[in-house]
């Protein structure tokens, strides 16, 4: 039989003392952590209620499409709230999820200032819909604030919601051609660019018709019928036609000019009588 130590032996007493010391150490450790936790909670409540850390100013830079109030609503911020309630990473994430925002960053300038920096998408046209939407060079569509209107960009008329891409549904050919045309007309200094186009009329059968804002190289043209496909080539053809009109010193306004066919150019001077009317009078 194995020999068991007596209850009053030195070995058992030493082992009980070690266990008791370990228990005391664990109790002291728990009490210490509990005290630290209570102190942190007390400090947290104190800081959350101290008006020294209430947000007194929210500085926003880079916003044009999104108004200040809407920007704060998206980020979940408001003046007067405690700065310790602000999660900059969560606010940044909310702003970057907005389709109008290309980049956003939220930072705290202690003790009571919030800095918001955004880079919004640059719209290259406004699509006339209900409600109107803007489109950028990447094809992203977004709405702007009701209080804000963008001057100097063309208005696209004729596109329908069914023309836009959706999940599992490709965009229509009219949408794709319109986007390609807008991209080709983003070059500053070109004959056709977003600064000298008022409207772009989209017709699924006829194609694109451009309404210029001002004279094009000293020529007054009411409408330019572009059609679909080969937009850069047709733009070059239009430039050659206007150059020829200047060389021949043609000063009569043109009601419309048609470059839908790369093999020919058709134009109608303002006030000219259509051929059908002339034949009827004869």
């Amino acid at each position: 039989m194995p020999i068991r130590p007596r209850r009053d032996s030195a070995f058992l007493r030493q082992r009980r003392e070690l266990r008791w010391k370990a228990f005391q150490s664990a109790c002291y450790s728990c009490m210490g952590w509990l005290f630290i936790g209570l102190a942190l909670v007390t400090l947290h409540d104190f800081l959350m209620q101290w008006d020294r850390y209430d947000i007194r100013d929210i500085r926003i830079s880079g916003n044009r499409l999104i108004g200040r109030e809407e920007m704060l609503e998206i980020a979940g911020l408001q003046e007067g709230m405690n700065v310790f309630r602000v999660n900059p990473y969560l606010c940044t994430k909310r702003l970057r999820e907005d389709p109008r925002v290309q980049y956003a960053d939220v930072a705290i300038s202690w003790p009571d200032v919030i800095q918001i920096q955004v880079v919004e998408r640059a719209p290259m046209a406004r699509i006339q819909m209900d409600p109107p939407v803007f489109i950028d060079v990447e094809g992203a569509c977004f709405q702007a604030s009701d209080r804000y209107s963008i001057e100097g960009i063309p208005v696209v008329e004729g596109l329908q919601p069914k023309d836009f891409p959706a999940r599992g549904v490709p965009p229509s050919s009219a949408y794709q051609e319109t986007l390609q045309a807008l991209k080709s007309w983003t070059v500053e200094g070109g004959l056709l660019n977003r600064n000298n186009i008022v409207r772009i009329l989209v017709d699924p059968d006829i194609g694109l018709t451009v309404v210029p804002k001002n004279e094009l190289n000293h020529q007054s043209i009411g409408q330019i019928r572009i059609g679909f496909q080969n937009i850069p080539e047709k733009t070059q053809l239009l430039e050659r036609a206007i150059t020829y009109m200047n060389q021949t010193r043609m000063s009569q306004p043109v009601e419309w000019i048609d470059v839908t066919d790369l093999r020919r150019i058709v134009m109608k001077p303002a006030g000219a009588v259509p051929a059908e009317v002339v034949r009827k009078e004869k």
Side-chain angles (χ1 to χ4, degrees), residues 154 181 185 192-193 196-202 207-213 216 221-227 231 238 255-257:
W185 295 333
L192 289 179
N193 57 73
N196 61 12
I197 297 177
V198 177
R199 293 195 309 276
I200 300 175
L201 311 178
V202 183
L208 303 179
T209 301
V210 176
V211 179
K213 181 186 300 184
L216 297 179
I221 302 176
Q223 291 185 352
I224 304 169
R225 300 175 182 177
I226 300 288
I231 300 298
L238 176 65
E255 185 175 333
W256 55 260
I257 183 169

Side-chain angles (χ1 to χ4, degrees), residues 2 17 134 180 231 268:
E17 290 177 359
F134 295 92
Q180 292 300 322
I231 300 298
K268 179 187 177 184

